[in-house]
Amino acid sequence: MSNQVVIGVIGAGRIGKIHAENIAYFMPQAKLKAIADVNLTPQIEAWAKGLGVQTVTKDPALLFADKEIQAIVICSSTDTHSTFVVEAAKAGKHVFCEKPVDTTIEKVKAALDAVKKANVKLQVGFNRRFDHNFKRVRELVESGAVGSPQIVKISSRDPAPPPVSYVAVSGGIFLDMMIHDFDMARFQAGSEVVEVYAQGAVLVDEGIGKAGDVDTALVTLKFANGAIGVIDNSRKAVYGYDQRVEVFGSKGSAQAENDTPSTVKLSTEAGVMGDKPLYFFLERYKEAFIAEMRAFVAAIAEGKAVPVTGEDGLQDLYVALAAKKSLAERRAVKLSEIA
Amino acid sequence: MSNQVVIGVIGAGRIGKIHAENIAYFMPQAKLKAIADVNLTPQIEAWAKGLGVQTVTKDPALLFADKEIQAIVICSSTDTHSTFVVEAAKAGKHVFCEKPVDTTIEKVKAALDAVKKANVKLQVGFNRRFDHNFKRVRELVESGAVGSPQIVKISSRDPAPPPVSYVAVSGGIFLDMMIHDFDMARFQAGSEVVEVYAQGAVLVDEGIGKAGDVDTALVTLKFANGAIGVIDNSRKAVYGYDQRVEVFGSKGSAQAENDTPSTVKLSTEAGVMGDKPLYFFLERYKEAFIAEMRAFVAAIAEGKAVPVTGEDGLQDLYVALAAKKSLAERRAVKLSEIA
Amino acid sequence: MSNQVVIGVIGAGRIGKIHAENIAYFMPQAKLKAIADVNLTPQIEAWAKGLGVQTVTKDPALLFADKEIQAIVICSSTDTHSTFVVEAAKAGKHVFCEKPVDTTIEKVKAALDAVKKANVKLQVGFNRRFDHNFKRVRELVESGAVGSPQIVKISSRDPAPPPVSYVAVSGGIFLDMMIHDFDMARFQAGSEVVEVYAQGAVLVDEGIGKAGDVDTALVTLKFANGAIGVIDNSRKAVYGYDQRVEVFGSKGSAQAENDTPSTVKLSTEAGVMGDKPLYFFLERYKEAFIAEMRAFVAAIAEGKAVPVTGEDGLQDLYVALAAKKSLAERRAVKLSEIA
Amino acid sequence: MSNQVVIGVIGAGRIGKIHAENIAYFMPQAKLKAIADVNLTPQIEAWAKGLGVQTVTKDPALLFADKEIQAIVICSSTDTHSTFVVEAAKAGKHVFCEKPVDTTIEKVKAALDAVKKANVKLQVGFNRRFDHNFKRVRELVESGAVGSPQIVKISSRDPAPPPVSYVAVSGGIFLDMMIHDFDMARFQAGSEVVEVYAQGAVLVDEGIGKAGDVDTALVTLKFANGAIGVIDNSRKAVYGYDQRVEVFGSKGSAQAENDTPSTVKLSTEAGVMGDKPLYFFLERYKEAFIAEMRAFVAAIAEGKAVPVTGEDGLQDLYVALAAKKSLAERRAVKLSEIA
């Protein structure tokens, strides 16, 4: 179609491939024209050709220079995110950027400024907002069915810890893992976090402790609207990816339970056995990844606001940095100390 | 209290003890004055004294003769039920009789006639109507929440088969076991059964087959109001006592699941494990036994109709005999052929 | 890829479109080369072009004549199925045929003969076998986890009845709707049906009754391996598409519950409210349609047997015809009377 | 029986009546001999006589003086608890004392000293440990099924707030309400709390705020064994009494959900509706109250240790006071600052 949104993707790692395939297969309103990856391999080239991509390159500059390309999807390594956001904005492209935009406030602000100046859209990849379960909770909150939110509870546990080498450069559990939950908490509460208190422990892997991080964490939140919240994270839930949210309010409570591969229960002498949760984020958030990209494409096509903004990314970063500070200083930290 | 309903119990076996204890402990409106058991033992005497019972005897006639006693609870062996109903009625006592009143139509009718002539109440021990789950289903049906009933489904499976010696004299699976479900089906449908078709198989214990019975059965029902139904029975569900009911209608469906000892779920690498159903009828219907006796006492105290009548027992018997005939003759049997 | 399975689709109605899109989008091992539809419209042409289809035609003969095409997917109107199966087989093409192959035994047998003679594969479109829930039940049965199957129970209810005009030419509820459940019952029991008894009622729409059909049905089954089964169908479950299966056996029971759009529960003063089942077969069996086509393509690519054969389709037809006869003659019907 | 444990109850309010009736009805090993209530009414006298109690008095001293009485159950107002514990201990009686023993550390210690000196047993009324669900979680933890506990999560919400007048003298939400959850957390973690951080808000009733308390609270806990925990409390959950516990560990997670009046689900066009949780503690913990008293009687009869000790009560008080201090001072508080 002549009015397709033309897109270029930077970074063809795990998440880049997901976005590229989703655009190619599921979005008739979009056209995937180009893919850039600094570590371009023949495998990536073959895969990209299979998707019908015209430009496959090591050089992202080719994408910024391509007049036809309207939007850039940034899936490269985290340290390159903010630079590419700035370059894409300067080139007049809309931007979808994987989370986090950056791990420092200055760079995120610089990226947001560039976006603002260029008057382009920036959507940050907080895919969980598009999950069928969490979106349903939010709808119930927004509809007034739970009344005014009073307590927001999130459990978010990975099936297995990443390598210690990854942890060492990840920015730590709050910036790397719990930032998703901070975003979810803000999304569900419909309010900004004003204070956090963090607890952490090394219970899963001593190596993580030696790398200066914790693998088990519990953060309490205070929201501007008076609600309170709590998030727990573990790097290792042996039963799989545990992703639950509850919003309790003056008129009721909305609770999202885990998704499972099937609804089957086996009753035997040993008990009644059901499925474990879907194993990891690729399965659990498969549809959410599609939905977030559809929303981005639609925002461009229809000239609407994106559903997760750069400002959201910045606020989530503030909360994560506050949590980090709280754990380090063993005290509650106000967001105003950070922002 | 001076206006307590004074009760005598005949038969101090398993079910007789339950009723006696329930009357003694949980019914301030009733007074358990007498217990008769033809096989009276010192243990039974001690237990009865512990309940504060005045008269403990081998001779049921003493109970019929006692002017103070207003109601007789019959828990003796099945072959004595209808005789005791008649004698109790003649003595002007209200009667609670364990199911079945008898396994022949003539004797049941004779008992019902005696009750009618004496103008006393007769409640038959279909305790499951008083179960919190099944009562709730019925309430939803009666309230109109499911619309007009169209399909009634009942699963009713025992945790373990009775001894073959018991099966041989039990009257068979339809009269002994599924009669509870026939009563439940009539109760839930709010309509009489007009035709049945029975299937049976020997899949649990060959000895049951040799004794001339089946241990697995499936009966379809046609109700006067147009609804249809199905009941499945097994003498052996290894995971425990499986007791479920569903009423599907024009506006929705009400489904009762099993009760469990706890709500706890254990999530591990192996899966998510929950409790088995409560093991057998003593646990599952503990509260139902109390509720049915309370209802009987209240009916007497307040001069109201009993909730499960002798006519119910007779209709249930018709259905059971029709099912038996259907299985024997491999064809659908109309209730009009039996009644 | 050079070794892709090249496919032509006949019929671009609702189900034809689903299969065509699934092949185009989700099956790198297959190539959708041609689409034929006798009622070809500009809309269909545009849609087919969008899928990258080379040949879009009114004439199925072009597909049979195309040497490159290895397999034909038949999604045209039911009355044309068996003819196209025969023609495809004669042309040496493998065949995927939507259910039913035909509504008469003779024509199905003729189609099966043609397939056999041509030594091509024939897979019949019983998609539910590929559903994640029902497949999981079958895996548990096959693994021995439930022991030997004793009772198979299926509830299968549509959210809304089809137009009476459709019902009039559909072959009736057993051939049109319950045939899916007969196939599921045989699949789960791992055994052939030997006898059926059918009950039916007109409770949803009197027009269906006037058209000579029932809208509510209950069929009991006897299997060759001794197990028994029951299926209930309703043309109208107001709460959505109700698709449940239970296999009860000597070691336990496996039960598949409905799928829902989300896992969210809303607790309020009114109660605890969860989602209705997914509304209809397009949502519920979305993944199953992909999985069945993948299995067909893989069978061709790898020279393996197809998972649902023409013989399955024939057996399912026998059961459906037996059920029809049973309802008409008010008696149990043996499959040997039909086959 | 001659070897019954002879008991006197002090206080015939709501909880006193429950314990008295439970002893009278459900504990053949115990004999309820005496009841004392400073506000003795004819109603209480009649009720006590109905239970077969010999001594009904305004004067607790009569119970301490009665040589036959072996154990005292203290259900009087909180401000009298520790005094009665001391007097009972001095009289050589075993003691069951409703929680809390006192709201000041000094008085609790004095009571514990008296108990120790007299070498009698003291059980504190933390009934929830005896709840079927929470006991099951604990069993799974103790059995090693969840591995080493890492995160303990408790939701505990009342259906409706108490009168503000009550709140004003209750000692506040931590001493009055969350103390049950502190005890549960210690019980489940199998470890002592070493640090707490409390958040609180007035979201339910401004009057509670004016009385100097909060009505919504979230407390995070650090345990001696390294585990972390979180408890949330609300004075008002419109859907009923919300009582859930989760213990997450290295091998899995055990989760207790709420109890409901029935298992029935109603599926309609509006959704799938289930029951709300049991409304309040009298229903939810009905069996737990019986079980805790049985355990107390058994401990005396069999010369065993009581399952919830005075030391438990003291530790729970420490945690509650630490939480109160934490909220007041907006900082984490170590238990060592309190104890």
Side-chain angles (χ1 to χ4, degrees), chain B residues 171-172 174-175 182 196 198 319-329 333:
Chain B
F174 302 118
L175 280 156
F182 295 136
V196 311
V319 185
L321 292 170
K324 204 170 176 175
K325 192 180 186 74
S326 171
L327 186 66
E329 303 182 5
V333 171

Side-chain angles (χ1 to χ4, degrees), chain D residues 220-244:
Chain D
T220 60
L221 308 167
K222 223 169 164 167
F223 295 94
N225 65 3
I228 53 185
V230 63
I231 298 164
D232 73 88
N233 270 191
S234 169
R235 287 286 193 182
K236 186 174 180 187
V238 296
Y239 50 87
Y241 196 41
D242 194 347
Q243 297 280 295
R244 288 172 288 148

Side-chain angles (χ1 to χ4, degrees), chain C residues 115-132:
Chain C
V115 162
K116 200 177 176 186
K117 204 167 293 171
N119 198 23
V120 294
K121 296 174 195 304
L122 168 62
Q123 181 171 329
V124 183
F126 285 104
N127 58 295
R128 295 186 194 175
R129 292 191 183 204
F130 300 87
D131 174 69
H132 59 141

Side-chain angles (χ1 to χ4, degrees), chain B:
Chain B
M1 305 172 212
S2 58
N3 52 1
Q4 279 178 312
V5 175
V6 182
I7 298 179
V9 170
I10 301 179
R14 186 167 59 177
I15 192 70
K17 277 189 176 132
I18 288 169
H19 287 313
E21 291 178 4
N22 287 344
I23 295 166
Y25 291 145
F26 302 115
M27 271 154 254
Q29 314 92 317
K31 182 186 160 188
L32 177 65
K33 187 181 180 190
I35 288 176
D37 192 297
V38 288
N39 302 309
L40 196 64
T41 61
Q43 285 76 20
I44 292 175
E45 277 190 279
W47 160 83
K49 290 297 174 195
L51 294 179
V53 172
Q54 288 175 32
T55 312
V56 185
T57 173
K58 287 191 170 194
D59 185 7
L62 294 188
L63 277 58
F64 300 132
D66 186 330
K67 291 269 149 54
E68 202 197 4
I69 291 177
Q70 295 161 269
I72 299 288
V73 172
I74 302 174
C75 306
S76 48
S77 63
T78 296
D79 58 326
T80 65
H81 285 184
S82 65
T83 308
F84 285 147
V85 172
V86 172
E87 289 184 35
K90 282 186 178 161
K93 315 295 192 201
H94 299 297
V95 184
F96 178 99
C97 183
E98 266 307 314
K99 66 99 213 168
V101 174
D102 199 279
T103 56
T104 71
I105 295 171
E106 297 68 33
K107 289 197 178 166
V108 174
K109 283 191 167 170
L112 266 59
D113 281 348
V115 162
K116 199 176 176 188
K117 202 168 294 170
N119 198 23
V120 294
K121 296 173 196 304
L122 169 61
Q123 181 172 331
V124 183
F126 286 104
N127 58 295
R128 295 186 195 175
R129 293 191 182 204
F130 300 87
D131 174 69
H132 59 141
N133 293 332
F134 303 146
K135 208 174 55 178
R136 178 74 185 134
V137 171
R138 180 60 190 151
E139 285 165 8
L140 288 168
V141 174
E142 275 194 318
S143 75
V146 306
S148 26
Q150 298 177 343
I151 305 175
V152 176
K153 292 183 77 173
I154 298 175
S155 277
S156 175
R157 304 167 189 159
D158 280 353
V164 171
S165 57
Y166 171 85
V167 168
V169 300
S170 69
I173 198 167
F174 302 118
L175 280 156
D176 176 56
M177 182 174 170
M178 204 181 276
I179 198 162
H180 272 295
D181 306 302
F182 295 136
D183 188 69
M184 181 56 60
R186 294 174 52 250
F187 174 58
Q188 295 294 356
S191 180
E192 294 303 339
V193 172
V194 293
E195 190 182 306
V196 311
Y197 177 77
Q199 260 197 58
V202 179
L203 301 171
V204 172
D205 182 344
E206 290 189 4
I208 291 175
K210 283 177 192 153
D213 201 4
V214 295
D215 51 36
T216 308
L218 202 55
V219 173
T220 60
L221 308 169
K222 223 168 163 167
F223 294 94
N225 65 3
I228 54 184
V230 63
I231 298 165
D232 72 89
N233 270 191
S234 168
R235 287 285 193 184
K236 186 174 179 187
V238 296
Y239 51 85
Y241 197 41
D242 194 348
Q243 298 280 295
R244 287 172 289 148
V245 165
E246 178 183 3
V247 180
F248 171 82
S250 55
K251 289 190 182 165
S253 182
Q255 264 188 282
E257 294 299 317
N258 284 307
D259 282 342
T260 52
S262 86
T263 63
V264 177
K265 303 270 182 239
L266 175 68
S267 300
T268 66
E269 276 188 323
V272 178
M273 181 71 98
D275 282 359
K276 291 185 286 186
L278 288 173
Y279 187 70
F280 208 12
F281 74 96
L282 294 180
E283 293 104 320
R284 168 60 186 266
Y285 294 123
K286 192 179 148 189
E287 295 293 330
F289 284 121
I290 296 173
E292 72 170 349
M293 195 53 68
R294 276 209 183 107
F296 176 62
V297 169
I300 295 170
E302 301 162 24
K304 296 187 311 187
V306 292
V308 195
T309 66
E311 184 59 31
D312 284 314
L314 183 59
Q315 289 293 334
D316 298 334
L317 177 62
Y318 289 159
V319 185
L321 292 170
K324 204 170 176 175
K325 192 180 186 74
S326 171
L327 186 66
E329 303 182 5
R330 313 295 317 120
R331 64 177 185 90
V333 171
K334 287 195 167 21
L335 267 276
S336 55
E337 301 179 45
I338 304 293

